[in-house]
Amino acid sequence: ETGVTQTPRHLVMGMTNKKSLKCEQHLGHNAMYWYKQSAKKPLELMFVYSLEERVENNSVPSRFSPECPNSSHLFLHLHTLQPEDSALYLCASSQGEGAEQFFGPGTRLTVL
Amino acid sequence: EDQVTQSPEALRLQEGESSSLNCSYTVSGLRGLFWYRQDPGKGPEFLFTLYSAGEEKEKERLKATLTKKESFLHITAPKPEDSATYLCAVPSGSARQLTFGSGTQLTVLP
């Protein structure tokens, strides 16, 4: 595997379900990010982890819970989501803050 | 507040018809400007980084340029496979995040 991978690629869940998104980067980077991309809207940054420490949380509802167990892996735990949370969730990584970020293919999430 | 504005929102070109996409930005101290290409349902693909006014980068039919207020992505003799949404972004705030524009959706017709 190369670059940034994300699983699953597609996820359909009910509002009462609990699920997790997984991201893995094979680039040796030290920063990882979660973004949300909704139709017709710019990418929205959700969380930033630098050296495995969360350094940014852009007013994201608590029903989204990130976890970064090491510099290569990033999770987004989901629970009691709302239909408006349906979107493409993107993971990215970079070497250093402010550097170009490399994105995974995304997880298309649908909340029923 | 840092802002990035891209124009036009959508652009339709005939194959071989060259054009330019615009990215204007307002940031307190530019620390780089990034261009990405995004295909439907996929993650953005990194294209270029520009750091200072006057800088240019090229890749195949694409050339990115930078001034003190804006960046252009010039597409020369485009092909249908160049159809995608093109995004620009700048490091902002603490530089731990990128502020993205809304993108230009490019369609190249055969």
Side-chain angles (χ1 to χ4, degrees), chain A residues 86-103:
Chain A
S86 298
L88 182 67
Y89 288 85
L90 293 160
C91 173
S93 70
S94 69
Q95 181 57 31
E97 299 165 4
E100 54 268 15
Q101 296 176 14
F102 293 84
F103 287 81

PDB file of all heavy atoms in Angstrom, chain A residues 86-103:
ATOM      1  N   SER A  86     -24.196  13.303   6.664  1.00  0.00           N
ATOM      2  CA  SER A  86     -23.887  12.583   5.426  1.00  0.00           C
ATOM      3  C   SER A  86     -22.961  13.444   4.580  1.00  0.00           C
ATOM      4  O   SER A  86     -23.253  14.613   4.310  1.00  0.00           O
ATOM      5  CB  SER A  86     -25.168  12.282   4.653  1.00  0.00           C
ATOM      6  OG  SER A  86     -26.028  11.438   5.410  1.00  0.00           O
ATOM      7  N   ALA A  87     -21.837  12.866   4.174  1.00  0.00           N
ATOM      8  CA  ALA A  87     -20.817  13.628   3.441  1.00  0.00           C
ATOM      9  C   ALA A  87     -19.690  12.686   3.051  1.00  0.00           C
ATOM     10  O   ALA A  87     -19.694  11.505   3.377  1.00  0.00           O
ATOM     11  CB  ALA A  87     -20.268  14.765   4.297  1.00  0.00           C
ATOM     12  N   LEU A  88     -18.703  13.250   2.374  1.00  0.00           N
ATOM     13  CA  LEU A  88     -17.454  12.536   2.091  1.00  0.00           C
ATOM     14  C   LEU A  88     -16.453  12.924   3.179  1.00  0.00           C
ATOM     15  O   LEU A  88     -16.182  14.114   3.382  1.00  0.00           O
ATOM     16  CB  LEU A  88     -16.916  12.920   0.715  1.00  0.00           C
ATOM     17  CG  LEU A  88     -15.641  12.218   0.239  1.00  0.00           C
ATOM     18  CD1 LEU A  88     -15.886  10.736  -0.003  1.00  0.00           C
ATOM     19  CD2 LEU A  88     -15.104  12.885  -1.024  1.00  0.00           C
ATOM     20  N   TYR A  89     -15.934  11.952   3.892  1.00  0.00           N
ATOM     21  CA  TYR A  89     -14.960  12.213   4.958  1.00  0.00           C
ATOM     22  C   TYR A  89     -13.568  11.843   4.448  1.00  0.00           C
ATOM     23  O   TYR A  89     -13.321  10.716   4.029  1.00  0.00           O
ATOM     24  CB  TYR A  89     -15.333  11.442   6.229  1.00  0.00           C
ATOM     25  CG  TYR A  89     -16.541  12.065   6.885  1.00  0.00           C
ATOM     26  CD1 TYR A  89     -17.827  11.726   6.477  1.00  0.00           C
ATOM     27  CD2 TYR A  89     -16.393  13.048   7.865  1.00  0.00           C
ATOM     28  CE1 TYR A  89     -18.946  12.335   7.037  1.00  0.00           C
ATOM     29  CE2 TYR A  89     -17.504  13.664   8.426  1.00  0.00           C
ATOM     30  CZ  TYR A  89     -18.771  13.302   7.998  1.00  0.00           C
ATOM     31  OH  TYR A  89     -19.877  13.919   8.545  1.00  0.00           O
ATOM     32  N   LEU A  90     -12.700  12.837   4.505  1.00  0.00           N
ATOM     33  CA  LEU A  90     -11.362  12.700   3.941  1.00  0.00           C
ATOM     34  C   LEU A  90     -10.308  12.759   5.031  1.00  0.00           C
ATOM     35  O   LEU A  90     -10.382  13.592   5.936  1.00  0.00           O
ATOM     36  CB  LEU A  90     -11.105  13.809   2.929  1.00  0.00           C
ATOM     37  CG  LEU A  90     -11.946  13.757   1.655  1.00  0.00           C
ATOM     38  CD1 LEU A  90     -11.973  15.111   0.972  1.00  0.00           C
ATOM     39  CD2 LEU A  90     -11.393  12.702   0.707  1.00  0.00           C
ATOM     40  N   CYS A  91      -9.337  11.902   4.894  1.00  0.00           N
ATOM     41  CA  CYS A  91      -8.168  11.903   5.761  1.00  0.00           C
ATOM     42  C   CYS A  91      -6.987  12.430   4.950  1.00  0.00           C
ATOM     43  O   CYS A  91      -6.904  12.196   3.727  1.00  0.00           O
ATOM     44  CB  CYS A  91      -7.891  10.485   6.250  1.00  0.00           C
ATOM     45  SG  CYS A  91      -6.366  10.273   7.170  1.00  0.00           S
ATOM     46  N   ALA A  92      -6.098  13.146   5.587  1.00  0.00           N
ATOM     47  CA  ALA A  92      -4.908  13.649   4.917  1.00  0.00           C
ATOM     48  C   ALA A  92      -3.724  13.585   5.865  1.00  0.00           C
ATOM     49  O   ALA A  92      -3.891  13.483   7.091  1.00  0.00           O
ATOM     50  CB  ALA A  92      -5.123  15.089   4.437  1.00  0.00           C
ATOM     51  N   SER A  93      -2.526  13.649   5.294  1.00  0.00           N
ATOM     52  CA  SER A  93      -1.328  13.704   6.119  1.00  0.00           C
ATOM     53  C   SER A  93      -0.339  14.683   5.509  1.00  0.00           C
ATOM     54  O   SER A  93      -0.418  15.006   4.317  1.00  0.00           O
ATOM     55  CB  SER A  93      -0.679  12.314   6.253  1.00  0.00           C
ATOM     56  OG  SER A  93      -0.112  11.899   5.027  1.00  0.00           O
ATOM     57  N   SER A  94       0.580  15.168   6.328  1.00  0.00           N
ATOM     58  CA  SER A  94       1.619  16.069   5.853  1.00  0.00           C
ATOM     59  C   SER A  94       2.860  15.903   6.721  1.00  0.00           C
ATOM     60  O   SER A  94       2.784  15.408   7.858  1.00  0.00           O
ATOM     61  CB  SER A  94       1.158  17.523   5.875  1.00  0.00           C
ATOM     62  OG  SER A  94       1.010  18.006   7.208  1.00  0.00           O
ATOM     63  N   GLN A  95       3.977  16.339   6.168  1.00  0.00           N
ATOM     64  CA  GLN A  95       5.213  16.334   6.933  1.00  0.00           C
ATOM     65  C   GLN A  95       5.404  17.751   7.462  1.00  0.00           C
ATOM     66  O   GLN A  95       5.891  18.631   6.767  1.00  0.00           O
ATOM     67  CB  GLN A  95       6.399  15.904   6.071  1.00  0.00           C
ATOM     68  CG  GLN A  95       7.720  15.851   6.816  1.00  0.00           C
ATOM     69  CD  GLN A  95       7.676  14.934   8.026  1.00  0.00           C
ATOM     70  OE1 GLN A  95       6.951  13.941   8.064  1.00  0.00           O
ATOM     71  NE2 GLN A  95       8.441  15.274   9.038  1.00  0.00           N
ATOM     72  N   GLY A  96       5.003  17.976   8.667  1.00  0.00           N
ATOM     73  CA  GLY A  96       5.108  19.312   9.215  1.00  0.00           C
ATOM     74  C   GLY A  96       3.830  20.106   9.003  1.00  0.00           C
ATOM     75  O   GLY A  96       3.052  19.836   8.089  1.00  0.00           O
ATOM     76  N   GLU A  97       3.644  21.072   9.859  1.00  0.00           N
ATOM     77  CA  GLU A  97       2.443  21.900   9.772  1.00  0.00           C
ATOM     78  C   GLU A  97       2.623  22.929   8.664  1.00  0.00           C
ATOM     79  O   GLU A  97       3.703  23.477   8.479  1.00  0.00           O
ATOM     80  CB  GLU A  97       2.199  22.570  11.123  1.00  0.00           C
ATOM     81  CG  GLU A  97       1.965  21.553  12.231  1.00  0.00           C
ATOM     82  CD  GLU A  97       2.093  22.156  13.603  1.00  0.00           C
ATOM     83  OE1 GLU A  97       2.288  23.376  13.704  1.00  0.00           O
ATOM     84  OE2 GLU A  97       1.990  21.411  14.590  1.00  0.00           O
ATOM     85  N   GLY A  98       1.546  23.202   7.922  1.00  0.00           N
ATOM     86  CA  GLY A  98       1.610  24.168   6.837  1.00  0.00           C
ATOM     87  C   GLY A  98       2.163  23.614   5.553  1.00  0.00           C
ATOM     88  O   GLY A  98       2.205  24.325   4.547  1.00  0.00           O
ATOM     89  N   ALA A  99       2.559  22.368   5.544  1.00  0.00           N
ATOM     90  CA  ALA A  99       3.082  21.749   4.325  1.00  0.00           C
ATOM     91  C   ALA A  99       1.938  21.194   3.482  1.00  0.00           C
ATOM     92  O   ALA A  99       0.806  21.069   3.959  1.00  0.00           O
ATOM     93  CB  ALA A  99       4.054  20.632   4.676  1.00  0.00           C
ATOM     94  N   GLU A 100       2.246  20.870   2.250  1.00  0.00           N
ATOM     95  CA  GLU A 100       1.205  20.303   1.403  1.00  0.00           C
ATOM     96  C   GLU A 100       0.700  19.000   2.014  1.00  0.00           C
ATOM     97  O   GLU A 100       1.457  18.219   2.582  1.00  0.00           O
ATOM     98  CB  GLU A 100       1.714  20.053  -0.025  1.00  0.00           C
ATOM     99  CG  GLU A 100       2.958  19.219  -0.136  1.00  0.00           C
ATOM    100  CD  GLU A 100       4.226  20.057  -0.143  1.00  0.00           C
ATOM    101  OE1 GLU A 100       4.163  21.249   0.224  1.00  0.00           O
ATOM    102  OE2 GLU A 100       5.273  19.516  -0.499  1.00  0.00           O
ATOM    103  N   GLN A 101      -0.611  18.809   1.911  1.00  0.00           N
ATOM    104  CA  GLN A 101      -1.250  17.643   2.489  1.00  0.00           C
ATOM    105  C   GLN A 101      -1.604  16.658   1.378  1.00  0.00           C
ATOM    106  O   GLN A 101      -1.972  17.046   0.276  1.00  0.00           O
ATOM    107  CB  GLN A 101      -2.517  18.052   3.249  1.00  0.00           C
ATOM    108  CG  GLN A 101      -2.212  18.942   4.436  1.00  0.00           C
ATOM    109  CD  GLN A 101      -3.451  19.434   5.146  1.00  0.00           C
ATOM    110  OE1 GLN A 101      -4.558  18.927   4.936  1.00  0.00           O
ATOM    111  NE2 GLN A 101      -3.288  20.420   6.009  1.00  0.00           N
ATOM    112  N   PHE A 102      -1.502  15.385   1.734  1.00  0.00           N
ATOM    113  CA  PHE A 102      -1.831  14.322   0.801  1.00  0.00           C
ATOM    114  C   PHE A 102      -3.059  13.598   1.316  1.00  0.00           C
ATOM    115  O   PHE A 102      -3.099  13.202   2.487  1.00  0.00           O
ATOM    116  CB  PHE A 102      -0.643  13.376   0.635  1.00  0.00           C
ATOM    117  CG  PHE A 102       0.522  14.046  -0.053  1.00  0.00           C
ATOM    118  CD1 PHE A 102       1.420  14.815   0.680  1.00  0.00           C
ATOM    119  CD2 PHE A 102       0.693  13.940  -1.415  1.00  0.00           C
ATOM    120  CE1 PHE A 102       2.483  15.463   0.050  1.00  0.00           C
ATOM    121  CE2 PHE A 102       1.752  14.573  -2.055  1.00  0.00           C
ATOM    122  CZ  PHE A 102       2.642  15.336  -1.319  1.00  0.00           C
ATOM    123  N   PHE A 103      -4.043  13.434   0.442  1.00  0.00           N
ATOM    124  CA  PHE A 103      -5.342  12.940   0.849  1.00  0.00           C
ATOM    125  C   PHE A 103      -5.552  11.472   0.506  1.00  0.00           C
ATOM    126  O   PHE A 103      -5.005  10.961  -0.480  1.00  0.00           O
ATOM    127  CB  PHE A 103      -6.444  13.752   0.165  1.00  0.00           C
ATOM    128  CG  PHE A 103      -6.609  15.128   0.719  1.00  0.00           C
ATOM    129  CD1 PHE A 103      -5.772  16.162   0.327  1.00  0.00           C
ATOM    130  CD2 PHE A 103      -7.600  15.395   1.656  1.00  0.00           C
ATOM    131  CE1 PHE A 103      -5.916  17.437   0.855  1.00  0.00           C
ATOM    132  CE2 PHE A 103      -7.760  16.674   2.186  1.00  0.00           C
ATOM    133  CZ  PHE A 103      -6.916  17.690   1.778  1.00  0.00           C
TER     134      PHE A 103
END
